[in-house]
Amino acid sequence: MSIEAHVTTFILVMFPIYILAFILYAIRALKGPTIPDTVLAIDAMTYDLAAFLVVLAIFFRSPVLTPVAIVLALWVYALDIYVAKYLEAKEMGG
Amino acid sequence: MTPETLTLGVLAVLGLLSMIATYLAVIERDMLKAILFSAIQSTSYAFIYYLLMAPDIVLVYVPVAIGLYPAIILFLIKKTERFESEE
Amino acid sequence: MDFNWLIVLVGEVLVAVGVLCDVIAAIGLLRFPNFYVRLHAATVGTIGGAFVPLIGASLIAIGCEFLGGYRWFMAGSALITAILILILAPAGSHALARAAYRSRAAIVQPKIVDHLEEDRVEDRGE
């Protein structure tokens, strides 16, 4: 068995498990009782999505797809900081 | 199971997820929650564009739809009211 | 040749560990009772589920010669993403937890003791 066939089979096995994890994260993000729960679920889902995108770039054999993960990780951090700043500014009264 | 079948199945799941998130964002009374549902929809659309092999569109779509759009709406909500009034 | 096999196998083990952490974190995030306990599950999901498989994907990309010369670009990009997530995810979680505590957006339902609240009341009283 060559390296190429081995890696392809491995990623094909990992594919449905990742999708299952994303569906569970999305259920928590959709029904989260409070605001921080939803933001936390979106955060965890998107960081894992960034990891999955790099694995998929190996699977599709196209290295151009890789830099998307950097952009995704950085902008979701920005969303996190926006919401935290909004929640905290309401307490300070500003 | 071929990779094409798997990719099409994932596209179907993501489309369903984005549809549910959009519906919840439309009927939600709390504006902050509506923004977060819209962020879920943007994330699933980014993944759809990625699976359709368009990384240049993802590179533009992610900063606009996950970064700038919630920031602008959050500034607007900070100036006005958070909860939508009952008629 | 053997070196490529070694690196690919190590990378696959790391990706498998990451997927396992991912599913465990998703189940924990769904089942835990309140926000501060869910924070623990989310940390498992970000460090164990995103940092570790990114290092593994970087190693796999180094070992796969069928990707051509651009595999070094892929490996470096994955490594940079891993380091960014290692820095950004705890900072974001911390900011979110601090904001949730100070604005009382998340209520602790089975609450036994809250030393931080007692300290803040004492500071205000003195």
Side-chain angles (χ1 to χ4, degrees), chain A residues 28-72:
Chain A
R28 173 48 78 194
L30 286 179
K31 80 172 202 184
T34 61
I35 301 288
D37 284 322
T38 310
V39 183
L40 195 67
I42 291 176
D43 261 3
M45 183 170 77
T46 316
Y47 288 135
D48 292 341
L49 187 64
F52 186 44
L53 293 189
V54 176
V55 175
L56 269 185
I58 296 175
F59 180 68
F60 287 142
R61 287 154 180 69
S62 54
V64 192
L65 295 176
T66 317
V68 173
I70 299 177
V71 179
L72 206 58

Side-chain angles (χ1 to χ4, degrees), chain A residues 12 15 19 22-23 26 29-30 32-35 38-39 42 45-46 49 52-53 56-57 59-60 62 64-65 67-68 71-72 75-76 79 82-83 85-87 89-90, chain B residues 1-3 6-7 10 13 17 20-21 24 30 32-33 35-37 39-40 43 46-47 50-51 53-55 58-59 62-63 66-68 70-71 74-75 77-78 82:
Chain A
L12 265 182
F15 210 103
I19 299 302
F22 289 143
I23 290 173
L30 286 179
T34 61
I35 301 288
T38 310
V39 183
I42 291 176
M45 183 170 77
T46 316
L49 187 64
F52 186 44
L53 293 189
L56 269 185
F59 180 68
F60 287 142
S62 54
V64 192
L65 295 176
V68 173
V71 179
L72 206 58
W75 281 105
V76 166
L79 174 74
Y82 292 151
V83 179
K85 192 167 178 294
Y86 175 81
L87 286 177
K90 203 177 53 179
Chain B
M1 185 186 288
T2 61
L6 214 53
T7 307
V10 174
V13 170
L17 174 65
I20 295 172
L24 286 176
D30 188 351
L32 195 52
K33 275 196 167 184
I35 291 175
L36 295 175
F37 289 145
I40 297 174
T43 309
F47 197 14
Y50 185 89
L51 284 178
M53 290 285 164
V58 182
L59 284 179
V62 164
I66 301 183
L68 295 179
L74 267 178
F75 276 124
I77 291 177
K78 203 183 278 185
R82 177 173 156 184

Side-chain angles (χ1 to χ4, degrees), chain A residues 6 28 37 48 70 88 91, chain C residues 12 22 29 38 45 98:
Chain A
H6 189 258
R28 173 48 78 194
D37 284 322
D48 292 341
I70 299 177
E88 206 157 346
E91 191 226 7
Chain C
E12 283 176 356
D22 210 349
L29 206 64
R38 278 177 206 137
R98 183 171 190 265

Side-chain angles (χ1 to χ4, degrees), chain C residues 99-121:
Chain C
Y101 184 81
R102 292 173 76 99
S103 70
R104 288 174 183 76
I107 300 161
V108 189
Q109 199 51 30
K111 177 165 154 183
I112 297 174
V113 66
D114 190 351
H115 287 301
L116 183 56
E117 182 62 37
E118 292 167 8
D119 281 352
R120 293 183 75 195
V121 167

Side-chain angles (χ1 to χ4, degrees), chain C residues 41-103:
Chain C
T43 308
V44 172
T46 50
I47 298 299
F51 176 69
V52 175
L54 275 170
I55 298 288
S58 165
L59 290 180
I60 290 179
I62 289 177
C64 289
E65 278 182 351
F66 59 87
L67 289 174
Y70 275 105
R71 67 178 191 275
W72 300 105
F73 165 70
M74 268 180 94
S77 181
L79 192 65
I80 288 174
T81 314
I83 292 172
L84 277 178
I85 285 181
L86 183 64
I87 297 170
L88 292 183
S93 298
H94 189 191
L96 197 63
R98 183 171 190 265
Y101 184 81
R102 292 173 76 99
S103 70

